[in-house]
Structure formats: structure tokens, C-alpha cells
Amino acid sequence: MRASRTENGSIKGTVTLEGGDVSPLVGHHVEGVLEGNPSVLASGVIQKDGVFALESLLEGKVLKEAMPGKYNARIVLSDDVDDNGKRLPRPPLSKSFLKAAASGLSFEVSETSSDVQLSLTTRAK
């Protein structure tokens, strides 16, 4: 996953998946937990090209940005349904990517955030 700051201050990123096909991740979320303050979360929905935009919930308000700091990241599986009313399929990920503490994924947000690359691997068959 790569994350970078856009001109309007929001953080956008890209998820990559082993093998290159990110379609199994579409509709699921990237979520970051701020180190030192687990009540601060930043999340974004993964789009068909793997791109997501992070938003934060702070004091009941949705912000189109992420608070500065280092985040431990994970993938959050969606309970949403597709156009046919079927629940989105579970992506072929290692279960470790579903827990921020075990995923090994992280990103940092600052005024000068640069691209960060975090790659996801498929689960063992």
C-alpha cells in the first residue's frame, strides 16, 4: 500500500496484492490505528484500481484527512453487498492482515508525507 498527501490535505494511497490483481479487495477497507492513541482511526474504501482515500472520525465528525503520526494498518472486511445482494467475497489474504498488531503494515502521516509501499500477500493454499 502506498500513501501520500494530496493538494487538499487528504491522504490517498494504493493497495497492491501479490499477483497484481487487487479486484478481490474492492469494497473492503484499509484502516490505520494511530500509535499511542488507539482511539484515533483513519480508514478508506479500496477502489477497483486499488486506490483509497483516508478519512478520520474525530469527536463525531468525519474529516477528509488523517491526523499526523505513525499508524499500524490492517484490512477490514466489509459487510456490504454487491449489486446482486450477495455479501462481498472474502479476499485471499493471510489472516494476519486483518489485525493491525499482527499485519506488519504501517504508514506515517506528516505535512510532507511521501509514498509508502506496503504489499499484501495471498494466504497459503
Side-chain angles (χ1 to χ4, degrees):
M1 172 174 39
R2 288 182 309 218
S4 60
R5 186 174 295 280
T6 65
E7 287 181 17
N8 68 3
S10 66
I11 299 292
K12 290 194 178 253
T14 305
V15 173
T16 60
L17 183 62
E18 179 181 64
D21 180 14
V22 296
S23 65
L25 298 172
V26 173
H28 299 289
H29 294 76
V30 170
E31 178 184 77
V33 179
L34 185 62
E35 281 188 3
N37 189 350
S39 67
V40 176
L41 303 175
S43 67
V45 178
I46 301 168
Q47 305 299 313
K48 64 181 178 182
D49 55 0
V51 172
F52 61 92
L54 291 174
E55 296 181 340
S56 298
L57 182 63
L58 185 62
E59 298 176 359
K61 296 179 184 176
V62 175
L63 305 175
K64 301 286 184 188
E65 59 186 272
M67 303 295 293
K70 185 173 180 182
Y71 290 78
N72 292 314
R74 71 182 185 130
I75 301 298
V76 177
L77 300 181
S78 176
D79 289 333
D80 291 345
V81 295
D82 64 17
D83 295 336
N84 298 317
K86 293 182 179 179
R87 189 172 178 189
L88 293 175
R90 179 181 162 80
L93 295 176
S94 167
K95 288 182 182 179
S96 65
F97 289 120
L98 305 179
K99 298 177 185 174
S103 73
L105 302 174
S106 65
F107 58 88
E108 190 159 349
V109 174
S110 70
E111 292 301 320
T112 59
S113 287
S114 59
D115 287 352
V116 176
Q117 180 68 42
L118 302 173
S119 299
L120 307 177
T121 56
T122 57
R123 64 178 170 248
K125 300 194 184 226

